[in-house]
């Protein structure tokens, strides 16, 4: 029997027909739901809800409006989209509530002033390095290059760059009072 015939029998309460229909549509239902929902556990749950809804609402199927598989997949798509929207709305509600409840436990102005002073302190210490040390440290720590990339960029041997970096970082640490 095809899905249309099985669905008509399911509408009459035929459990064997439902078992056959389940075998026919469970794969496509799960595949569609998985593409929409993405999360495997959530997809399994939504697919199970769709198949339960199929059992309960089979009488609503109208063969004159389309095939049984199309009807079942429409149910699955709607349920999957509802789940995604519900999850998104819940996340947005939680985010709004977190923003409302957020009370910083620090004085933001004081933090910004302190951060500015620290940046200035680091700048002054960087100015005390030799030009070659400063260039190597800046490329590595501010621009994110690896030692090997710094060496290539400056056309220097890797060992030379490592030595400049070690000496420059030692001087920075001493200048910053052993804090860094």
């Amino acid at each position: 029997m095809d899905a249309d015939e099985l669905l008509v029998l399911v509408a009459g309460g035929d459990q064997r027909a439902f078992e056959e229909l389940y075998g026919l549509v469970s794969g496509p239902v799960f595949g569609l739901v998985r593409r929409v929902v993405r999360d495997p556990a959530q997809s399994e749950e939504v697919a199970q809800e769709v198949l339960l809804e199929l059992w309960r609402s089979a009488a609503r199927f109208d063969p004159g409006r389309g095939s049984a598989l199309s009807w079942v997949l429409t149910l699955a798509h709607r349920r999957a989209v509802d789940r995604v929207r519900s999850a998104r709305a819940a996340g947005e509600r939680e985010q709004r509530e977190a923003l409302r409840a957020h009370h910083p436990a620090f004085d933001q102005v004081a933090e910004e002033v302190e951060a500015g002073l620290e940046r200035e302190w680091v700048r002054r210490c960087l100015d005390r390095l030799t030009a070659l040390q400063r260039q190597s440290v800046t490329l590595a720590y501010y621009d994110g290059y690896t030692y090997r990339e710094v060496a290539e960029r400056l056309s220097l041997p890797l060992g030379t760059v490592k030595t400049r970096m070690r000496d420059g970082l030692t001087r920075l640490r001493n200048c910053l009072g052993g804090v860094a």
Side-chain angles (χ1 to χ4, degrees), residues 73-92:
L73 292 177
T74 298
L75 291 176
H77 186 262
R78 286 179 182 159
R79 182 66 64 110
V81 168
D82 286 348
R83 177 63 63 97
V84 169
R85 286 180 180 157
S86 175
R88 185 176 296 140
E92 288 171 0

Side-chain angles (χ1 to χ4, degrees), residues 152-164:
E152 290 171 4
R153 193 159 174 92
L154 299 177
S155 301
L156 294 170
L158 180 60
T160 303
V161 169
K162 286 182 177 181
T163 300
R164 282 185 189 169

Side-chain angles (χ1 to χ4, degrees), residues 126-127 129-145 150-151 153-156 161 164-165 168:
L126 276 171
D127 287 342
L129 301 179
T130 67
L132 299 174
Q133 290 170 339
R134 184 174 41 259
Q135 186 179 28
S136 296
V137 169
T138 301
L139 285 171
Y141 288 94
Y142 289 106
D143 296 338
Y145 291 105
V150 171
R153 193 159 174 92
L154 299 177
S155 301
L156 294 170
V161 169
R164 282 185 189 169
M165 294 290 291

Side-chain angles (χ1 to χ4, degrees), residues 89-103:
E92 288 171 0
R93 273 191 309 275
E94 289 174 10
Q95 191 174 24
R96 281 192 306 270
E97 186 58 35
L99 287 174
R100 259 188 245 123
H102 178 70
H103 298 289

